[in-house]
Amino acid sequence: MKRILFICLAALFLVPGIAMAHSKITVSTPANEETVTVSPAEISMTFNTNIEKLSQFKLLDESGNQVPTGDISVSKATMSGSVTEPLKNGAYTVKWTIIGADGHAVDGEYAFKVNAPEATPSKAPEAAATPADSSPSPSAEVTEAPDASASADDNASEEPSPSAPAEDAKAESGNNNGVNAAVWVIAGVIVIAGVAIVIRRGRK
């Protein structure tokens, strides 16, 4: 009876020791229940004992969907993996399964949140005046064209009329005709006078 009691007491002392020998997280990045303001580039966990290469973890969003991560590496007591895409704001859970130094498989999980400030869209600068707006209006640059009819009238007044030489020619020809008529009249008078003289002499 005493032997059975001794065995039970020994078992009570040994069970907590065995439980304590199992691996557990001592440090994690992000930390458990931490709220980060920048999307983490890596998930890292360090345990209290060395762990085996077969240890793995998964990153889940608040809907339970797995978030892609890079290759998981194990170095002694640390397991890490890169986050391949920026995490959106929200709650995330890391579920891990490791093989401890004692050869036992141990699993667990911890959570963190991402609450990064959202970038506010900057106000677009006012568009610079376009060349069409900044350049003066074509109609403003065009000077008033001289009145074609006015210039034509001025040229007409300055240039002699084409009929003027014709009128001068007519006047000159009229004068010539008058001179010729006078010559013929005088010649006729002389001829008549000569004939009259000849007739008188013939009568005598």
Side-chain angles (χ1 to χ4, degrees):
M1 186 68 181
K2 291 182 179 180
R3 182 179 293 181
I4 295 173
L5 181 61
F6 178 77
I7 293 173
C8 290
L9 291 175
L12 290 176
F13 283 104
L14 289 174
V15 169
I18 295 172
M20 292 295 294
H22 289 169
S23 300
K24 62 181 180 180
I25 293 177
T26 57
V27 178
S28 64
T29 304
N32 186 29
E33 301 299 335
E34 181 183 6
T35 298
V36 296
T37 56
V38 178
S39 175
E42 183 182 65
I43 303 296
S44 176
M45 291 163 279
T46 300
F47 296 84
N48 62 330
T49 60
N50 291 345
I51 57 178
E52 299 296 329
K53 299 291 185 181
L54 297 177
S55 301
Q56 297 286 326
F57 74 85
K58 293 181 181 180
L59 178 62
L60 308 177
D61 61 17
E62 55 190 356
S63 298
N65 299 318
Q66 185 171 350
V67 178
T69 56
D71 294 336
I72 297 173
S73 62
V74 175
S75 176
K76 296 183 179 181
T78 301
M79 176 172 59
S80 62
S82 61
V83 179
T84 56
E85 297 179 0
L87 300 180
K88 298 179 181 179
N89 288 349
Y92 293 87
T93 301
V94 179
K95 288 191 174 184
W96 50 268
T97 300
I98 62 169
I99 307 299
D102 57 359
H104 289 87
V106 181
D107 56 15
E109 63 181 47
Y110 76 94
F112 67 92
K113 292 182 180 180
V114 176
N115 187 20
E118 296 181 358
T120 56
S122 59
K123 186 177 180 181
E126 295 182 1
T130 60
D133 296 335
S134 59
S135 60
S137 174
S139 59
E141 295 181 354
V142 176
T143 57
E144 184 178 357
D147 191 351
S149 60
S151 61
D153 293 341
D154 295 340
N155 294 334
S157 62
E158 292 177 0
E159 295 179 0
S161 175
S163 62
E167 292 176 356
D168 294 342
K170 288 180 180 180
E172 185 175 355
S173 63
N175 293 335
N176 292 336
N177 292 334
V179 171
N180 292 335
V183 170
W184 284 107
V185 171
I186 294 172
V189 172
I190 293 173
V191 170
I192 293 171
V195 171
I197 292 171
V198 171
I199 292 173
R200 286 181 181 179
R201 287 180 178 178
R203 289 178 181 180
K204 292 180 178 183

